[in-house]
Amino acid sequence: MRTVPLGTTGHQVPNVVLGLMRIAQMDDDAVRTLVRTARDAGIDFVDHADVYGGDLHGCERRFAEAMQLTPSQRAELTIQSKAGIVPDGPYFDYSYDHLVSSVEGSLEALGTDYLDVLLLHRPDALVEPDEVARAFDHLESTGKVRAFGVSNHTPGQIELLKKSVRQPIVANQVQLSITHAPLVAQGVAANMAGLDQSVVRDGGGLLDYCRLHDITVQAWSPFQAGFFTGVFLGSEDYPELNAVIDRLAAKYDVPAIAIATAWITRHPAGMQVVLGTTTPERVAGAAQGSDVPLTRAEWYELFRAAGYTVP
């Protein structure tokens, strides 16, 4: 399992992350098997959010109840969670009170004294950067959060936060897969009139911005065809892509899902792939992609087979 730097923290973290948004109904043995499989594959970074699960903090609590981590076991994990979504709104709240209370709820549910990383969960149109800064300062000074990031934020939204926030923004979690890659594809087709691919949808150069500012990109839904429209692996909607994936899987002697991971981890931005599956076999298979050395030609072949234009 290859590692990547987490923002400017100096910490090396695995480039595959175990996302735990779907464990609320799993029993203890199933949760432990899932986490153990990930650990055996070299994954010691887990991703949570306060809104994951049927109840607030539901998945965080299920994780803690099943794992019963000792202090030494807790120290071996990087635990990330998110705050900012108000599910019964539905709306977003980046106020000091909401962010602090959400983190305190996460800590109680997880049975831990600190989060390694806190992400702001999607942009809040009513964000007041000074409020966010006050919350971050409190959470850092009290030892409740060690590093901070965002999700689904544009370069401009991050710059607005940085006007007040003094902590480095270490990560930006965004949707990315071979078939849902506008933040990659737009740059390839920049200034090509009449081509939908050239339309800027990420606020302008998000991937380049993150690379310039040492912000680790975390790719969620890495196997989804679009915005929760189903997976592309094995889909009859992507025959050419799956043919290429299957051929490369055979070449590298890995499952097809590993090639989908490898397409993301091959990128020199040093991205992390967030796995949302609850199937241990898929976790193990996807993790193998971290070590698949796709060539430039193979990377671009997958990109073109997914329907993107390479001028």
Side-chain angles (χ1 to χ4, degrees):
M1 171 72 61
R2 289 188 291 130
T3 61
V4 294
L6 180 63
T8 56
T9 63
H11 297 303
Q12 290 288 321
V13 292
N15 60 357
V16 180
V17 176
L18 182 63
L20 296 169
M21 68 182 296
R22 298 184 176 91
I23 65 169
Q25 304 306 316
M26 295 172 61
D27 62 29
D28 289 356
D29 286 343
V31 173
R32 287 193 288 264
T33 298
L34 181 68
V35 175
R36 183 173 61 250
T37 301
R39 294 299 307 277
D40 289 345
I43 302 170
D44 58 13
F45 194 124
V46 296
D47 176 69
H48 285 281
D50 57 355
V51 296
Y52 291 168
D55 301 318
L56 196 61
H57 303 293
C59 285
E60 294 170 323
R61 189 169 295 106
R62 181 83 286 276
F63 172 78
E65 291 170 347
M67 297 303 299
Q68 295 290 306
L69 297 174
T70 65
S72 62
Q73 290 171 331
R74 164 64 185 95
E76 292 173 353
L77 292 176
T78 298
I79 298 181
Q80 172 176 281
S81 196
K82 309 180 203 67
I85 294 179
V86 182
D88 59 357
Y91 59 88
F92 303 95
D93 188 348
Y94 281 4
S95 67
Y96 170 89
D97 289 341
H98 180 79
L99 293 177
V100 170
S101 65
S102 176
V103 169
E104 290 174 346
S106 291
L107 295 179
E108 180 181 4
L110 288 164
T112 186
D113 296 329
Y114 67 95
L115 294 177
D116 293 282
V117 187
L118 172 70
L119 303 185
L120 298 178
H121 204 172
R122 291 193 172 277
D124 176 10
L126 302 180
V127 62
E128 297 176 70
D130 288 348
E131 281 279 288
V132 176
R134 190 160 68 96
F136 282 11
D137 284 346
H138 170 76
L139 293 169
E140 182 183 51
S141 65
T142 55
K144 295 176 181 178
V145 177
R146 295 185 173 180
F148 301 86
V150 296
S151 69
N152 307 291
H153 276 54
T154 67
Q157 289 166 335
I158 295 173
E159 283 295 309
L160 179 62
L161 288 173
K162 288 167 66 175
K163 178 182 178 182
S164 301
V165 170
R166 62 180 183 82
Q167 293 83 2
I169 301 299
V170 303
N172 189 7
Q173 191 173 116
V174 298
Q175 185 174 6
L176 175 64
S177 71
I178 300 175
T179 55
H180 187 282
L183 78 166
V184 176
Q186 187 276 325
V188 173
N191 199 40
M192 293 185 66
L195 183 64
D196 180 75
Q197 181 180 323
S198 69
V199 176
V200 176
R201 292 183 170 87
D202 62 4
L206 173 59
L207 186 55
D208 294 333
Y209 174 88
C210 288
R211 295 180 73 180
L212 284 167
H213 293 274
D214 297 315
I215 298 172
T216 299
V217 172
Q218 298 179 345
W220 60 268
S221 284
F223 315 121
Q224 284 282 326
F227 186 66
F228 297 109
T229 56
V231 298
F232 57 82
L233 291 167
S235 171
E236 60 184 16
D237 294 330
Y238 295 92
E240 182 181 355
L241 174 60
N242 279 289
V244 177
I245 289 174
D246 290 344
R247 174 165 49 79
L248 292 175
K251 172 185 173 180
Y252 288 104
D253 192 24
V254 294
I257 196 171
I259 300 301
T261 298
W263 187 83
I264 298 172
T265 58
R266 168 62 178 84
H267 196 283
M271 299 186 239
Q272 291 181 295
V273 176
V274 182
L275 306 178
T277 180
T278 57
T279 305
E281 293 77 14
R282 288 176 65 81
V283 169
Q288 291 183 53
S290 169
D291 298 315
V292 172
L294 291 177
T295 66
R296 285 176 175 269
E298 290 166 347
W299 189 93
Y300 276 109
E301 183 181 15
L302 288 163
F303 185 63
R304 294 180 65 181
Y308 289 108
T309 297
V310 177

